[in-house]
Amino acid sequence: MTTTGTLAGARGSAGPGLPDDFAAALLTPEARRDPYPLYARMRREDPVHRSPQGIWYLTRYADVEAALGDLRLSNDRDRMARAYSGLGGDLKALSRLTGRLGRVMTNTDPPDHARLRKLANKAFTARRVEALRDGVRRIVDRLVDEAVAAGPAMDLIEAVASPLPMSVVCELFGIPDEDRPRVTSWFRRFGRLGEDIDKSEAAIEQYEQYLSGLIRQRRWEPGDDLISALVATQAQDDRLTDSELLSTCFVLITAGDETTTHLIGNGMLALLRHPDQLARLRADPGLIRGAVEELARYDTVTQAIVRVVAQDVEIGGRTLAEGELVYLFLGATNRDPERFEDPDRLDLSRPGNRHLSFGHGPHFCLGGPLAKLQAEVAVGTLVRRLPGLRPADGAAPDWRPNPLQRRLTALPVTY
């Protein structure tokens, strides 16, 4: 979570040619609207780019894919905190939050990562995820019913894409109905880490206290939910410690919320901007699984993830030194013409679609299957039930300011 919160080294200005500071170029209004032309320039002219602050930016598919599987590029919380703390400014505050999460799958390296992931896998099974499909369908139908009843227009993010993953994760983790409004308010604050660190940290503390109470309750009264399943691992070999259990629950519950919301939002916007592909999906609903993969590739929510160099490594003929930060731009790799034919074209039946939107290697996103299941149901239902769906007149998409996470503030539509 903390490693995608903000963009390091964001100062200077981008000139008419290759920017001397990629971070500054990404913060321009033009790049916020559409970062992909800038990524294309970086891939062509300097795919292994070192900023004036000594931070690396990788934009080529082959380099990023290899980096995601290279243990010399570390995801370890302590290394990351040291790297961030040396950069000054609000990044020191951001590095504080890595300590709050403890040592979990998302901020450890092997062997700790392998042990923690193995235990989480036992609870977060494919069977448990697939069993949610009918429930997800009921939630989506209810949300669409409510939107249709309210009138001929809606903000698709607020009406469907945002409440869906919150409802699903509450079901999966057994969060009581009466607690869901305050849990939702904490989640919304987590999603704005880069906007107010202090308020985010306060929300994290409140949420941790709440989760600790749920865990204690599940020890005495286990149920058929994911917290109970994780608690049960404490009786097994290589068990989760109390701290690891709390942090694992925190990360698993939190991580998929905003990602799923904006997978749906970005995907629906892409379809609305490509009516030929929208018509294909409407005519052939069986395309939905491949369609979601293509929508995830075309405009991925997680535009970049961060690693820190644990041991000098050569990439693209350049040496990345121990202790340096490395930004892996998934959004750029997904449009790399060396990997994807005609990559700027949306093609719902694209063959061999091995995008990197959910990562690769040991840190491949554990919640990816659940996010894609929700997107399949939500996108498929919206396309089927709202044949007149179109962007609201005069509404231009507005994107949140964090360039590492591509997220709409709203998606006004009529139907």
Side-chain angles (χ1 to χ4, degrees):
M1 186 170 78
T2 58
T3 56
T4 57
T6 189
L7 191 66
R11 62 177 182 266
S13 60
L18 181 66
D20 62 359
D21 189 340
F22 189 23
L26 277 169
L27 294 173
T28 62
E30 295 79 11
R32 186 189 298 187
R33 286 192 296 269
D34 183 5
Y36 298 103
L38 177 60
Y39 293 156
R41 285 170 51 204
M42 296 300 295
R43 282 194 311 267
R44 288 193 307 268
E45 301 174 38
D46 195 11
V48 184
H49 174 74
R50 192 174 191 272
S51 78
Q53 294 76 37
I55 301 159
W56 295 94
Y57 303 95
L58 307 187
T59 51
R60 201 160 44 191
Y61 184 100
D63 293 335
V64 170
E65 182 185 41
L68 287 168
D70 193 328
L71 297 182
R72 292 172 295 180
L73 297 177
S74 172
N75 203 40
D76 180 76
R77 146 190 102 164
D78 297 328
R79 290 182 190 274
M80 197 75 67
R82 288 195 296 270
Y84 271 120
S85 65
L87 294 171
D90 62 353
L91 293 171
K92 286 186 178 180
L94 188 65
S95 72
R96 263 198 338 255
L97 299 181
T98 63
R100 297 198 65 91
L101 289 177
R103 302 191 66 78
V104 294
M105 293 175 295
T106 53
N107 62 25
T108 53
D109 295 328
D112 282 347
H113 173 268
R115 180 179 65 86
L116 293 168
R117 178 144 187 153
K118 177 183 176 182
L119 292 169
N121 279 337
K122 290 180 179 179
F124 203 76
T125 62
R127 178 191 60 81
R128 187 182 291 272
V129 170
E130 185 57 35
L132 293 169
R133 186 177 292 272
D134 287 344
V136 172
R137 189 174 291 113
R138 286 192 295 271
I139 294 169
V140 172
D141 280 333
R142 173 177 58 79
L143 294 171
V144 174
D145 286 344
E146 292 171 355
V148 169
M154 66 171 160
D155 172 3
L156 195 147
I157 301 294
E158 181 180 11
V160 178
S162 182
L164 172 62
M166 187 72 249
S167 297
V168 171
V169 81
C170 285
E171 291 288 338
L172 185 60
F173 283 84
I175 295 174
D177 291 345
E178 61 270 20
D179 293 344
R180 294 182 185 186
R182 57 181 173 147
V183 171
T184 299
S185 71
W186 293 327
F187 273 43
R188 297 298 165 258
R189 174 49 56 192
F190 304 157
R192 290 165 173 78
L193 270 177
E195 299 170 23
D196 193 323
I197 290 287
D198 290 335
K199 288 184 178 179
S200 295
E201 192 168 21
I204 289 170
E205 184 171 352
Q206 291 174 310
Y207 186 45
E208 284 180 336
Q209 292 173 357
Y210 172 77
L211 271 182
S212 294
L214 276 186
I215 290 168
R216 287 193 299 270
Q217 182 186 49
R218 295 301 195 276
R219 284 202 179 104
W220 291 104
E221 301 177 35
D224 186 25
D225 58 82
L226 198 50
I227 292 178
S228 297
L230 287 167
V231 166
T233 67
Q234 291 200 302
Q236 302 169 4
D237 293 337
D238 294 327
R239 68 188 182 92
L240 291 165
T241 67
D242 287 350
S243 175
E244 289 169 345
L245 175 61
L246 174 62
S247 296
T248 298
C249 287
F250 183 103
V251 169
L252 288 177
I253 295 174
T254 306
D257 178 45
E258 289 271 311
T259 301
T260 304
T261 291
H262 297 288
L263 172 59
I264 296 167
N266 294 3
M268 288 304 303
L269 177 61
L271 287 172
L272 292 171
R273 287 175 161 177
H274 295 82
D276 61 321
Q277 296 299 301
L278 178 58
R280 284 184 67 193
L281 184 57
R282 183 167 286 128
D284 184 3
L287 288 175
I288 188 61
R289 183 159 295 183
V292 166
E293 296 289 354
E294 174 66 350
L295 295 171
R297 179 201 71 85
Y298 184 79
D299 200 9
T300 184
V301 179
T302 302
Q303 290 282 298
I305 58 177
V306 189
R307 296 289 186 264
V308 61
V309 182
Q311 179 183 338
D312 289 6
V313 57
E314 183 175 313
I315 298 177
R318 308 192 69 179
T319 300
L320 285 59
E322 180 181 354
E324 292 182 318
L325 285 169
V326 186
Y327 282 72
L328 310 176
F329 277 85
L330 310 182
T333 70
N334 288 345
R335 300 283 190 101
D336 187 344
E338 293 298 315
R339 180 61 185 83
F340 300 98
E341 183 179 353
D342 197 4
D344 294 319
R345 177 171 60 89
L346 184 69
D347 178 3
L348 299 188
S349 57
R350 180 178 294 276
N353 195 351
R354 285 184 54 205
H355 60 78
L356 298 179
S357 296
F358 293 96
H360 173 74
H363 285 281
F364 184 82
C365 180
L366 181 65
L370 179 57
K372 287 188 280 191
L373 183 150
Q374 292 178 76
E376 288 172 19
V377 175
V379 171
T381 300
L382 289 164
V383 169
R384 173 177 56 83
R385 291 193 54 186
L386 303 177
L389 192 66
R390 64 187 185 280
D393 293 340
D398 184 31
W399 303 92
R400 293 189 193 172
N402 183 354
L404 304 189
Q405 295 285 315
R406 189 154 167 79
R407 301 181 293 195
L408 288 162
T409 59
L411 182 53
V413 297
T414 59
Y415 42 89

PDB file of all heavy atoms in Angstrom, residues 48 56 58 60 63-64 66-67 70 73 313-320 326 328:
ATOM      1  N   VAL A  48      15.282   2.783 -19.413  1.00  0.00           N
ATOM      2  CA  VAL A  48      15.815   2.612 -18.051  1.00  0.00           C
ATOM      3  C   VAL A  48      16.320   3.992 -17.636  1.00  0.00           C
ATOM      4  O   VAL A  48      17.468   4.347 -17.825  1.00  0.00           O
ATOM      5  CB  VAL A  48      16.928   1.552 -18.005  1.00  0.00           C
ATOM      6  CG1 VAL A  48      17.406   1.321 -16.571  1.00  0.00           C
ATOM      7  CG2 VAL A  48      16.447   0.236 -18.603  1.00  0.00           C
ATOM      8  N   TRP A  56      15.048   5.328 -10.327  1.00  0.00           N
ATOM      9  CA  TRP A  56      14.954   4.671 -11.623  1.00  0.00           C
ATOM     10  C   TRP A  56      13.495   4.483 -12.041  1.00  0.00           C
ATOM     11  O   TRP A  56      12.640   4.192 -11.202  1.00  0.00           O
ATOM     12  CB  TRP A  56      15.648   3.307 -11.583  1.00  0.00           C
ATOM     13  CG  TRP A  56      17.118   3.402 -11.369  1.00  0.00           C
ATOM     14  CD1 TRP A  56      17.786   3.327 -10.184  1.00  0.00           C
ATOM     15  CD2 TRP A  56      18.120   3.606 -12.379  1.00  0.00           C
ATOM     16  NE1 TRP A  56      19.138   3.455 -10.381  1.00  0.00           N
ATOM     17  CE2 TRP A  56      19.375   3.637 -11.720  1.00  0.00           C
ATOM     18  CE3 TRP A  56      18.085   3.756 -13.765  1.00  0.00           C
ATOM     19  CZ2 TRP A  56      20.573   3.818 -12.399  1.00  0.00           C
ATOM     20  CZ3 TRP A  56      19.280   3.928 -14.433  1.00  0.00           C
ATOM     21  CH2 TRP A  56      20.502   3.955 -13.757  1.00  0.00           C
ATOM     22  N   LEU A  58      11.421   2.266 -14.957  1.00  0.00           N
ATOM     23  CA  LEU A  58      11.474   1.242 -15.998  1.00  0.00           C
ATOM     24  C   LEU A  58      10.133   1.201 -16.716  1.00  0.00           C
ATOM     25  O   LEU A  58       9.081   1.111 -16.070  1.00  0.00           O
ATOM     26  CB  LEU A  58      11.779  -0.134 -15.406  1.00  0.00           C
ATOM     27  CG  LEU A  58      13.006  -0.263 -14.504  1.00  0.00           C
ATOM     28  CD1 LEU A  58      13.248  -1.725 -14.143  1.00  0.00           C
ATOM     29  CD2 LEU A  58      14.235   0.354 -15.141  1.00  0.00           C
ATOM     30  N   ARG A  60       9.774  -0.653 -20.031  1.00  0.00           N
ATOM     31  CA  ARG A  60       9.752  -1.659 -21.077  1.00  0.00           C
ATOM     32  C   ARG A  60       9.259  -2.988 -20.495  1.00  0.00           C
ATOM     33  O   ARG A  60       9.659  -3.380 -19.398  1.00  0.00           O
ATOM     34  CB  ARG A  60      11.163  -1.811 -21.651  1.00  0.00           C
ATOM     35  CG  ARG A  60      11.252  -2.405 -23.025  1.00  0.00           C
ATOM     36  CD  ARG A  60      12.586  -2.055 -23.674  1.00  0.00           C
ATOM     37  NE  ARG A  60      13.728  -2.201 -22.766  1.00  0.00           N
ATOM     38  CZ  ARG A  60      14.953  -1.763 -23.038  1.00  0.00           C
ATOM     39  NH1 ARG A  60      15.179  -1.138 -24.187  1.00  0.00           N
ATOM     40  NH2 ARG A  60      15.945  -1.935 -22.185  1.00  0.00           N
ATOM     41  N   ASP A  63      11.929  -5.634 -19.352  1.00  0.00           N
ATOM     42  CA  ASP A  63      12.675  -5.227 -18.162  1.00  0.00           C
ATOM     43  C   ASP A  63      11.819  -5.346 -16.904  1.00  0.00           C
ATOM     44  O   ASP A  63      12.284  -5.826 -15.863  1.00  0.00           O
ATOM     45  CB  ASP A  63      13.150  -3.777 -18.315  1.00  0.00           C
ATOM     46  CG  ASP A  63      14.187  -3.610 -19.415  1.00  0.00           C
ATOM     47  OD1 ASP A  63      14.876  -4.591 -19.731  1.00  0.00           O
ATOM     48  OD2 ASP A  63      14.287  -2.484 -19.957  1.00  0.00           O
ATOM     49  N   VAL A  64      10.555  -4.890 -16.989  1.00  0.00           N
ATOM     50  CA  VAL A  64       9.689  -4.905 -15.813  1.00  0.00           C
ATOM     51  C   VAL A  64       9.316  -6.334 -15.434  1.00  0.00           C
ATOM     52  O   VAL A  64       9.321  -6.703 -14.251  1.00  0.00           O
ATOM     53  CB  VAL A  64       8.442  -4.035 -16.046  1.00  0.00           C
ATOM     54  CG1 VAL A  64       7.419  -4.230 -14.928  1.00  0.00           C
ATOM     55  CG2 VAL A  64       8.844  -2.572 -16.156  1.00  0.00           C
ATOM     56  N   ALA A  66      11.070  -9.021 -15.923  1.00  0.00           N
ATOM     57  CA  ALA A  66      12.238  -9.624 -15.284  1.00  0.00           C
ATOM     58  C   ALA A  66      12.452  -9.053 -13.883  1.00  0.00           C
ATOM     59  O   ALA A  66      12.777  -9.788 -12.943  1.00  0.00           O
ATOM     60  CB  ALA A  66      13.474  -9.386 -16.143  1.00  0.00           C
ATOM     61  N   ALA A  67      12.249  -7.751 -13.736  1.00  0.00           N
ATOM     62  CA  ALA A  67      12.463  -7.112 -12.439  1.00  0.00           C
ATOM     63  C   ALA A  67      11.494  -7.638 -11.389  1.00  0.00           C
ATOM     64  O   ALA A  67      11.862  -7.805 -10.215  1.00  0.00           O
ATOM     65  CB  ALA A  67      12.317  -5.600 -12.575  1.00  0.00           C
ATOM     66  N   ASP A  70      12.928 -10.714  -9.906  1.00  0.00           N
ATOM     67  CA  ASP A  70      14.331 -10.653  -9.501  1.00  0.00           C
ATOM     68  C   ASP A  70      14.415 -10.255  -8.029  1.00  0.00           C
ATOM     69  O   ASP A  70      14.047  -9.141  -7.651  1.00  0.00           O
ATOM     70  CB  ASP A  70      15.073  -9.633 -10.362  1.00  0.00           C
ATOM     71  CG  ASP A  70      16.581  -9.723 -10.232  1.00  0.00           C
ATOM     72  OD1 ASP A  70      17.061 -10.077  -9.129  1.00  0.00           O
ATOM     73  OD2 ASP A  70      17.284  -9.444 -11.221  1.00  0.00           O
ATOM     74  N   LEU A  73      15.773  -6.982  -6.482  1.00  0.00           N
ATOM     75  CA  LEU A  73      14.900  -5.821  -6.336  1.00  0.00           C
ATOM     76  C   LEU A  73      13.898  -6.162  -5.238  1.00  0.00           C
ATOM     77  O   LEU A  73      13.026  -6.996  -5.420  1.00  0.00           O
ATOM     78  CB  LEU A  73      14.197  -5.499  -7.658  1.00  0.00           C
ATOM     79  CG  LEU A  73      15.138  -5.102  -8.797  1.00  0.00           C
ATOM     80  CD1 LEU A  73      14.352  -4.868 -10.072  1.00  0.00           C
ATOM     81  CD2 LEU A  73      15.922  -3.850  -8.427  1.00  0.00           C
ATOM     82  N   VAL A 313      22.321  -4.424  -9.610  1.00  0.00           N
ATOM     83  CA  VAL A 313      21.774  -5.227 -10.692  1.00  0.00           C
ATOM     84  C   VAL A 313      21.859  -4.430 -11.991  1.00  0.00           C
ATOM     85  O   VAL A 313      21.664  -3.211 -12.002  1.00  0.00           O
ATOM     86  CB  VAL A 313      20.304  -5.633 -10.388  1.00  0.00           C
ATOM     87  CG1 VAL A 313      19.415  -4.418 -10.154  1.00  0.00           C
ATOM     88  CG2 VAL A 313      19.733  -6.502 -11.480  1.00  0.00           C
ATOM     89  N   GLU A 314      22.157  -5.116 -13.085  1.00  0.00           N
ATOM     90  CA  GLU A 314      22.229  -4.457 -14.393  1.00  0.00           C
ATOM     91  C   GLU A 314      20.940  -4.701 -15.158  1.00  0.00           C
ATOM     92  O   GLU A 314      20.488  -5.837 -15.301  1.00  0.00           O
ATOM     93  CB  GLU A 314      23.419  -4.982 -15.203  1.00  0.00           C
ATOM     94  CG  GLU A 314      23.577  -4.257 -16.544  1.00  0.00           C
ATOM     95  CD  GLU A 314      24.820  -4.696 -17.302  1.00  0.00           C
ATOM     96  OE1 GLU A 314      25.902  -4.766 -16.681  1.00  0.00           O
ATOM     97  OE2 GLU A 314      24.684  -4.967 -18.510  1.00  0.00           O
ATOM     98  N   ILE A 315      20.349  -3.633 -15.633  1.00  0.00           N
ATOM     99  CA  ILE A 315      19.130  -3.703 -16.433  1.00  0.00           C
ATOM    100  C   ILE A 315      19.295  -2.772 -17.630  1.00  0.00           C
ATOM    101  O   ILE A 315      19.609  -1.591 -17.455  1.00  0.00           O
ATOM    102  CB  ILE A 315      17.882  -3.289 -15.622  1.00  0.00           C
ATOM    103  CG1 ILE A 315      17.671  -4.230 -14.435  1.00  0.00           C
ATOM    104  CG2 ILE A 315      16.631  -3.274 -16.506  1.00  0.00           C
ATOM    105  CD1 ILE A 315      16.502  -3.852 -13.543  1.00  0.00           C
ATOM    106  N   GLY A 316      19.094  -3.309 -18.804  1.00  0.00           N
ATOM    107  CA  GLY A 316      19.197  -2.495 -20.006  1.00  0.00           C
ATOM    108  C   GLY A 316      20.538  -1.814 -20.166  1.00  0.00           C
ATOM    109  O   GLY A 316      20.609  -0.682 -20.671  1.00  0.00           O
ATOM    110  N   GLY A 317      21.607  -2.459 -19.716  1.00  0.00           N
ATOM    111  CA  GLY A 317      22.945  -1.885 -19.864  1.00  0.00           C
ATOM    112  C   GLY A 317      23.300  -0.847 -18.820  1.00  0.00           C
ATOM    113  O   GLY A 317      24.374  -0.237 -18.897  1.00  0.00           O
ATOM    114  N   ARG A 318      22.455  -0.652 -17.808  1.00  0.00           N
ATOM    115  CA  ARG A 318      22.733   0.325 -16.766  1.00  0.00           C
ATOM    116  C   ARG A 318      22.745  -0.375 -15.404  1.00  0.00           C
ATOM    117  O   ARG A 318      22.018  -1.350 -15.191  1.00  0.00           O
ATOM    118  CB  ARG A 318      21.695   1.456 -16.785  1.00  0.00           C
ATOM    119  CG  ARG A 318      21.539   2.081 -18.164  1.00  0.00           C
ATOM    120  CD  ARG A 318      20.756   3.366 -18.122  1.00  0.00           C
ATOM    121  NE  ARG A 318      21.509   4.421 -17.453  1.00  0.00           N
ATOM    122  CZ  ARG A 318      21.054   5.671 -17.304  1.00  0.00           C
ATOM    123  NH1 ARG A 318      19.852   5.990 -17.767  1.00  0.00           N
ATOM    124  NH2 ARG A 318      21.784   6.590 -16.698  1.00  0.00           N
ATOM    125  N   THR A 319      23.572   0.125 -14.497  1.00  0.00           N
ATOM    126  CA  THR A 319      23.700  -0.488 -13.186  1.00  0.00           C
ATOM    127  C   THR A 319      22.859   0.257 -12.167  1.00  0.00           C
ATOM    128  O   THR A 319      23.057   1.452 -11.929  1.00  0.00           O
ATOM    129  CB  THR A 319      25.171  -0.506 -12.727  1.00  0.00           C
ATOM    130  OG1 THR A 319      25.938  -1.260 -13.663  1.00  0.00           O
ATOM    131  CG2 THR A 319      25.290  -1.142 -11.348  1.00  0.00           C
ATOM    132  N   LEU A 320      21.927  -0.460 -11.555  1.00  0.00           N
ATOM    133  CA  LEU A 320      21.097   0.073 -10.483  1.00  0.00           C
ATOM    134  C   LEU A 320      21.784  -0.294  -9.174  1.00  0.00           C
ATOM    135  O   LEU A 320      22.043  -1.477  -8.915  1.00  0.00           O
ATOM    136  CB  LEU A 320      19.688  -0.500 -10.537  1.00  0.00           C
ATOM    137  CG  LEU A 320      18.737   0.025 -11.629  1.00  0.00           C
ATOM    138  CD1 LEU A 320      19.280  -0.204 -13.028  1.00  0.00           C
ATOM    139  CD2 LEU A 320      17.362  -0.600 -11.479  1.00  0.00           C
ATOM    140  N   VAL A 326      13.280   2.010  -7.357  1.00  0.00           N
ATOM    141  CA  VAL A 326      12.970   1.666  -8.744  1.00  0.00           C
ATOM    142  C   VAL A 326      11.456   1.658  -8.909  1.00  0.00           C
ATOM    143  O   VAL A 326      10.748   0.956  -8.180  1.00  0.00           O
ATOM    144  CB  VAL A 326      13.520   0.274  -9.128  1.00  0.00           C
ATOM    145  CG1 VAL A 326      13.315   0.015 -10.614  1.00  0.00           C
ATOM    146  CG2 VAL A 326      14.988   0.143  -8.748  1.00  0.00           C
ATOM    147  N   LEU A 328       8.466   0.610 -11.287  1.00  0.00           N
ATOM    148  CA  LEU A 328       8.151  -0.297 -12.397  1.00  0.00           C
ATOM    149  C   LEU A 328       6.798   0.114 -12.965  1.00  0.00           C
ATOM    150  O   LEU A 328       5.760  -0.072 -12.320  1.00  0.00           O
ATOM    151  CB  LEU A 328       8.109  -1.738 -11.896  1.00  0.00           C
ATOM    152  CG  LEU A 328       9.310  -2.215 -11.069  1.00  0.00           C
ATOM    153  CD1 LEU A 328       9.085  -3.634 -10.564  1.00  0.00           C
ATOM    154  CD2 LEU A 328      10.598  -2.128 -11.869  1.00  0.00           C
TER     155      LEU A 328
END
